[in-house]
Amino acid sequence: MRISVIGCGYLGAVHAACMAKLGHEVVGIDVDEQKIAALSSAAAPFYEPDLDELLREVQETGRLRFTSDLSAAAGSDIHFICVGTPQKKGENGADMTYVDAATIGLLPYIASGNVVVGKSTVPVGTAARLANLVLDAEPSAHLLWNPEFLREGHAVSDTLQPDRFVYGVPGGSEEHPAVGLLDAVYSTPLTAGTPRLVVDLPTAELVKAAANSFLATKISFTNAMAEVCEASGADVSGLADAIGMDDRIGRKFLNAGIGFGGGCLPKDIRAFMARAGELGADQALTFLREVDAINMRRRTRVVELSRELCGGSLLGMRITVLGAAFKPESDDVRDSPALSIAAQLQLQGAVVTVTDPKVLSNASRRFPELQYEPNSEKAVQKADALLLLTEWQEYRDLDPYELARSVASPRILDGRNVLDAGKWRAAGWTYRGLGRP
Ligand code: UDX
């Protein structure tokens, strides 16, 4: 099929490449010329495992091209809207500028029988509003909502082999004429057994908001348990392992630590609360305010613990932060709890050096006042305390005996509870985890 993908960020660039991999003829469109130049030379403008290789592979087939010219969407059967919906400045709600601009910009190029498919995470009600615009421009066209659940760091496999497809169609009927077209787009994973659900437009929009809210709630639930563990001398890791063995609960997303960040969970739960408020259903989601508050409290807790670890004062303490990405295998620092903690420590008088295998240029643009050192061996030299804040494999694998020879004082705060406390203590370290004795 001929496909256009509008918006080539984490979602769109991966989607475009994966659709070409599935055999379709794809044009990726973005207003950012730099992004287009990078993607056209098969170099992803961000770090995502396997993406460069995939871009190279599909570009060689001639099935994938990128442009900043929206008129290139003309001639496609299906148009995917993959632009961002960031948090509005100073408000909880989602900024719909990009989704609206992409849809309105696309209208002149929508031809008879075309299908516009929204993938962006949007406030419930958006699809119905945009469907009217599409119908006004081309009465035989359709608008569907097909939310995306990909995780950064696993974006390619999550797109090619997702857990499920959710199609939101007006009326929610399997018989809707656009369902067959979308089935043709995803025929490879569907044939391989990926389940798909057809629902109505508002349900499809809500599925995404609900999924991310549930994940955020799971993490904050564990972090709340971590607070109780800290107060009672219990160990949240053992607690999570034990409750996670109950199938109904599940162990995934029960890792206590410095909390969730990134370009999705924090802004999505806030946008969801804002939208529920507009709909008069704000009471239903007041618990998400608590989820957000528990999450933000972790950052303050880490600063307090770091002060304790440094003997009561942060002033002049040389602290090395290991990891600044919001999670491993990503170069994304949007709302990264690690970076936010590094900045707070610096403000409170510590001399902070940040190291990370991937994000240093992104991080230094956001927090230019911090010191950055790409070489982790150099970064830890003469440190008074280490803070492991993003659990990259290379930090999980650190040898406490060897490392003890580089630092000024063997003190470590394990912000992700991934180190073997017994081993580090045996090597002479003062070890602190979160929610662990
Ligand atoms: C998330 C959703 O998982 C994905 O389905 C959706 O499409 C987009 O938002 P992503 O933002 O890539 O994906 O990150 P995710 O893997 O969900 O992690 C989010 C944050 O939670 C990270 O900061 C991570 O470190 C943290 N986290 C995750 C925890 O603190 N504990 C956990 O147990 C799991």
Side-chain angles (χ1 to χ4, degrees):
M1 304 199 70
R2 285 165 307 169
I3 290 178
S4 77
V5 176
I6 297 139
C8 293
Y10 283 99
L11 166 58
V14 174
H15 193 68
C18 289
M19 292 306 102
K21 168 85 181 168
L22 294 180
H24 305 297
E25 205 172 294
V26 183
V27 57
I29 305 171
D30 199 290
V31 290
D32 183 338
E33 303 272 2
Q34 267 184 332
K35 222 178 250 180
I36 291 302
L39 287 164
S40 299
S41 55
F46 47 83
Y47 172 65
E48 182 61 44
D50 307 328
L51 182 56
D52 281 348
E53 225 174 277
L54 177 64
L55 283 167
R56 247 192 319 276
E57 180 195 325
V58 288
Q59 273 173 12
E60 274 167 18
T61 66
R63 288 198 302 267
L64 177 63
R65 66 195 170 94
F66 291 96
T67 173
S68 57
D69 181 2
L70 194 50
S71 71
S76 292
D77 313 295
I78 309 236
H79 311 275
F80 284 100
I81 309 259
C82 294
V83 294
T85 49
Q87 187 173 341
K88 274 190 209 160
K89 286 208 165 60
E91 281 179 56
N92 271 351
D95 180 353
M96 296 304 293
T97 317
Y98 307 105
V99 170
D100 288 353
T103 312
I104 292 166
L106 181 66
L107 295 176
Y109 310 111
I110 299 176
S112 167
N114 279 189
V115 180
V116 179
V117 184
K119 292 198 80 69
S120 310
T121 302
V122 293
V124 60
T126 303
R129 178 170 63 79
L130 299 180
N132 287 333
L133 296 179
V134 169
L135 282 180
D136 284 347
E138 174 51 62
S140 68
H142 305 283
L143 181 131
L144 267 58
W145 218 264
N146 169 220
E148 181 57 58
F149 304 99
L150 66 81
R151 298 160 298 167
E152 288 179 24
H154 305 268
V156 171
S157 56
D158 282 354
T159 305
L160 290 173
Q161 294 113 26
D163 292 337
R164 75 295 206 191
F165 289 107
V166 175
Y167 300 180
V169 302
S173 160
E174 288 261 353
E175 310 309 319
H176 190 283
V179 167
L181 270 173
L182 209 47
D183 278 350
V185 171
Y186 296 133
S187 69
T188 308
L190 286 172
T191 310
T194 302
R196 74 129 160 80
L197 283 104
V198 179
V199 295
D200 58 22
L201 291 174
T203 306
E205 293 167 309
L206 280 177
V207 166
K208 178 60 191 274
N212 275 358
S213 298
F214 194 81
L215 294 173
T217 304
K218 260 190 118 170
I219 300 168
S220 277
F221 176 85
T222 323
N223 281 329
M225 293 304 109
E227 291 185 15
V228 181
C229 286
E230 277 157 23
S232 59
D235 185 338
V236 73
S237 300
L239 181 144
D241 289 342
I243 65 170
M245 282 175 189
D246 183 331
D247 264 358
R248 294 169 303 172
I249 296 173
R251 180 63 179 83
K252 288 181 186 162
F253 273 68
L254 287 185
N255 294 324
I258 63 172
F260 59 81
C264 294
L265 298 192
K267 64 111 177 152
D268 285 350
I269 62 169
R270 291 175 196 149
F272 197 20
M273 284 186 272
R275 184 64 185 136
E278 288 168 5
L279 295 168
D282 41 343
Q283 258 196 328
L285 299 187
T286 47
F287 76 95
L288 286 179
R289 217 180 304 154
E290 203 50 45
V291 166
D292 204 359
I294 293 166
N295 192 52
M296 298 314 266
R297 235 171 20 235
R298 297 320 285 163
R299 304 179 183 189
T300 325
R301 176 73 186 137
V302 172
V303 174
E304 277 167 26
L305 270 179
S306 306
R307 188 181 285 108
E308 275 176 33
L309 194 65
C310 290
S313 170
L314 288 167
L315 275 182
M317 285 289 166
R318 287 183 304 266
I319 293 183
T320 300
V321 167
L322 302 168
F326 86 103
K327 68 173 190 182
E329 296 304 322
S330 167
D331 67 354
D332 197 347
V333 292
R334 285 176 294 171
D335 208 349
S336 163
L339 256 192
S340 146
I341 290 164
Q344 285 180 50
L345 290 168
Q346 172 98 352
L347 283 174
Q348 297 197 23
V351 181
V352 180
T353 303
V354 178
T355 188
D356 186 287
K358 291 285 177 205
V359 309
L360 294 193
S361 57
N362 286 345
S364 60
R365 269 197 298 276
R366 213 158 264 236
F367 288 102
E369 65 279 16
L370 294 169
Q371 287 183 56
Y372 297 95
E373 171 52 63
N375 181 323
S376 61
E377 279 173 32
K378 279 192 196 154
V380 298
Q381 292 293 329
K382 307 253 178 307
D384 295 307
L386 304 183
L387 266 55
L388 195 171
L389 299 187
T390 308
E391 68 279 32
W392 289 93
Q393 193 60 42
E394 64 180 88
Y395 305 145
R396 287 168 176 260
D397 293 342
L398 283 169
D399 177 351
Y401 292 94
E402 213 173 282
L403 201 59
R405 287 197 284 273
S406 304
V407 296
S409 306
R411 297 187 277 218
I412 188 156
L413 193 155
D414 177 6
R416 299 289 188 168
N417 291 340
V418 290
L419 301 177
D420 178 342
K423 185 170 152 193
W424 282 73
R425 286 186 178 128
W429 287 76
T430 303
Y431 169 95
R432 293 297 302 263
L434 293 179
R436 303 175 95 181

